[in-house]
Every structure is written in structure tokens, then in C-alpha cells.
């Protein structure tokens, strides 16, 4: 089940339901307004470990014992999802393409990172799945949201920066291609390529 501000988001067109939700639209604006977080020598994040996943990878941290920032980048038609268990504080990040977002096994593997499996209450943050002609991004976002909706767990969707909310109307480019998440503050923000340890373009 997907919840936004305590109300269920359901239906056949979950992407449209999520992107037309006023609460998620506001969360998206705040997320994009944070800009590209660039690490520098004085940044508190510079002194913390960053758990970075590539496409079709996932990782988890226990925020009670590990202060690592979770991150992924280069999601255009892919989706990056962070799931945080409210009961345990365990946070997981995954970078899913169209095929892995469709896979029951991959979703179960993501949720299997949490004590209690798929039956708890979670906060969820999703970025990627831009709007483009092939609809790959739409299908990736739709498949992921479909898994959440059908799951016995409850997903409080805190951010859904996908499809129309993640595509520039003027250029057709994604507004955000990355997601970093601080499990200690529960703060999601875009991550720059420099911050991810890559050379600037």
C-alpha cells in the first residue's frame, strides 16, 4: 500500500496519481530546490562514508550504528529508490532499470534487507523515470510503484520525482538524475557527479 500524507494512493495509473498529488509536487520542488550538493573540505558529509550503488545494485545501512549517506546517480529512465523502515531505522537504496523494476525477485530482495521483510511501515523516496518517447522511464516508475502498492507493507511516499515532475518542459532533460539520502536526518537531496567521486564533466 502507498500512502501520501496518510491517504492511500491507488489505481491503475500510479505514476499519474503520484505526480498529480499536491503534497508530492511540493516535496519535489523542495528536493529540486536543494540543488546539486557538492562536497567540499568543510562539508560534514565529506567526513562521512558514502554507500554508492550503480545500476541494478542495492545496499542497506542501519542508521542506529552506521551514519553512511546512501546515494546513486545517472538515473534517467531508471529509478533510484530509498526505503527506510520506521521500526528499525534500516535504510536501503536501489538503482533499478525497467527490467529489474518489473521483477518480483528484485523487489523482494530489496525489501528482504529489512528486519520484518515486506510487512512493516516504510518511508520511500523515488527519483528518475524521466518522460521520453519510448516510455521506458514511465514503465520503470510504474513497475516500482506497483510493487509498493501490492505489498503487504505500508509505504509512506515522501518523494516521487519521476516522469512529468522530473522532466524539463523546455529541454526534455531530467531535472534530477541522482539521489543522496542521509538516514540520520531523513533528508533526500540531489547528488553531484563530483560528490559521487566521479570526475566533473
Amino acid at each position: 500500500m502507498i500512502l501520501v500524507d496518510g491517504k492511500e494512493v491507488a489505481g491503475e495509473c500510479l505514476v499519474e496519481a503520484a505526480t498529480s498529488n499536491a503534497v508530492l509536487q511540493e516535496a519535489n520542488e523542495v528536493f529540486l530546490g536543494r540543488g546539486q550538493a557538492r562536497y567540499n573540505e568543510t562539508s560534514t558529509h565529506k567526513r562521512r562514508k558514502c554507500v554508492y550503488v550503480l545500476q541494478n545494485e542495492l545496499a542497506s545501512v542501519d542508521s542506529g550504528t552506521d551514519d553512511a549517506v546512501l546515494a546513486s546517480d545517472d538515473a534517467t529512465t531508471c529509478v533510484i529508490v530509498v526505503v527506510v523502515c520506521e521500526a528499525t531505522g534500516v535504510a536501503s537504496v536501489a538503482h533499478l532499470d525497467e527490467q529489474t523494476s518489473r521483477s518480483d525477485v528484485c523487489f523482494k530482495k530489496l525489501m528482504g534487507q529489512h528486519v520484518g521483510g515486506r510487512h512493516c511501515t516504510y518511508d520511500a523516496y523515488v527519483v528518475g523515470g524521466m518522460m521520453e518517447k519510448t516510455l521506458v522511464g514511465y514503465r520503470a516508475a510504474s513497475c516500482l510503484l506497483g510493487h509498493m502498492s501490492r505489498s503487504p507493507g505500508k509505504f509512506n511516499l515522501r518523494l516521487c520525482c519521476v516522469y512529468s515532475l522530473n522532466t524539463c518542459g523546455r529541454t526534455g532533460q531530467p531535472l534530477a538524475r541522482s539521489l543522496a539520502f542521509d538516514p540520520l536526518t531523513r533528508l533526500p537531496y540531489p547528488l553531484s557527479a563530483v560528490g559521487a567521486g566521479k570526475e566533473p564533466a
Side-chain angles (χ1 to χ4, degrees):
M1 174 187 298
I2 298 174
L3 301 170
V4 176
D5 205 24
K7 297 176 183 174
E8 185 176 3
V9 175
E12 291 185 19
C13 302
L14 291 170
V15 172
E16 287 87 346
T19 56
S20 64
N21 183 285
V23 172
L24 290 176
Q25 288 174 349
E26 184 178 341
N28 195 64
E29 288 179 19
V30 171
F31 171 75
L32 294 172
R34 291 189 179 112
Q36 296 292 310
R38 293 193 179 272
Y39 289 21
N40 56 51
E41 292 305 322
T42 60
S43 169
T44 57
H45 292 99
K46 183 74 174 178
R47 296 182 291 272
R48 289 172 59 190
K49 178 173 67 175
C50 179
V51 177
Y52 182 86
V53 299
L54 301 173
Q55 185 173 322
N56 296 328
E57 292 183 337
L58 63 89
S60 297
V61 297
D62 181 347
S63 60
T65 59
D66 194 334
D67 70 348
V69 173
L70 300 173
S72 190
D73 198 4
D74 293 331
T76 53
T77 57
C78 299
V79 287
I80 302 166
V81 59
V82 169
V83 176
V84 185
C85 179
E86 288 186 354
T88 65
V90 171
S92 297
V93 61
H95 186 140
L96 307 171
D97 61 19
E98 182 184 6
Q99 297 302 317
T100 52
S101 69
R102 184 180 295 146
S103 167
D104 287 333
V105 172
C106 290
F107 185 74
K108 287 177 183 175
K109 187 175 180 183
L110 170 66
M111 298 314 299
Q113 303 292 305
H114 299 271
V115 176
R118 299 184 297 160
H119 301 273
C120 294
T121 301
Y122 306 95
D123 287 344
Y125 306 80
V126 183
V127 172
M130 66 177 283
M131 188 186 314
E132 37 73 52
K133 292 179 182 178
T134 67
L135 298 179
V136 171
Y138 177 87
R139 289 192 298 271
S142 182
C143 289
L144 175 62
L145 293 175
H147 281 299
M148 290 180 180
S149 180
R150 293 187 300 274
S151 172
K154 292 181 181 177
F155 291 86
N156 294 306
L157 193 56
R158 305 292 185 193
L159 176 67
C160 193
C161 184
V162 300
Y163 205 55
S164 59
L165 294 183
N166 191 28
T167 308
C168 177
R170 186 175 51 80
T171 65
Q173 296 297 309
L175 297 171
R177 304 164 48 117
S178 61
L179 173 61
F181 182 80
D182 184 340
L184 298 181
T185 62
R186 300 276 176 108
L187 180 71
Y189 53 92
L191 179 71
S192 71
V194 175
K198 297 180 181 180
E199 291 301 318

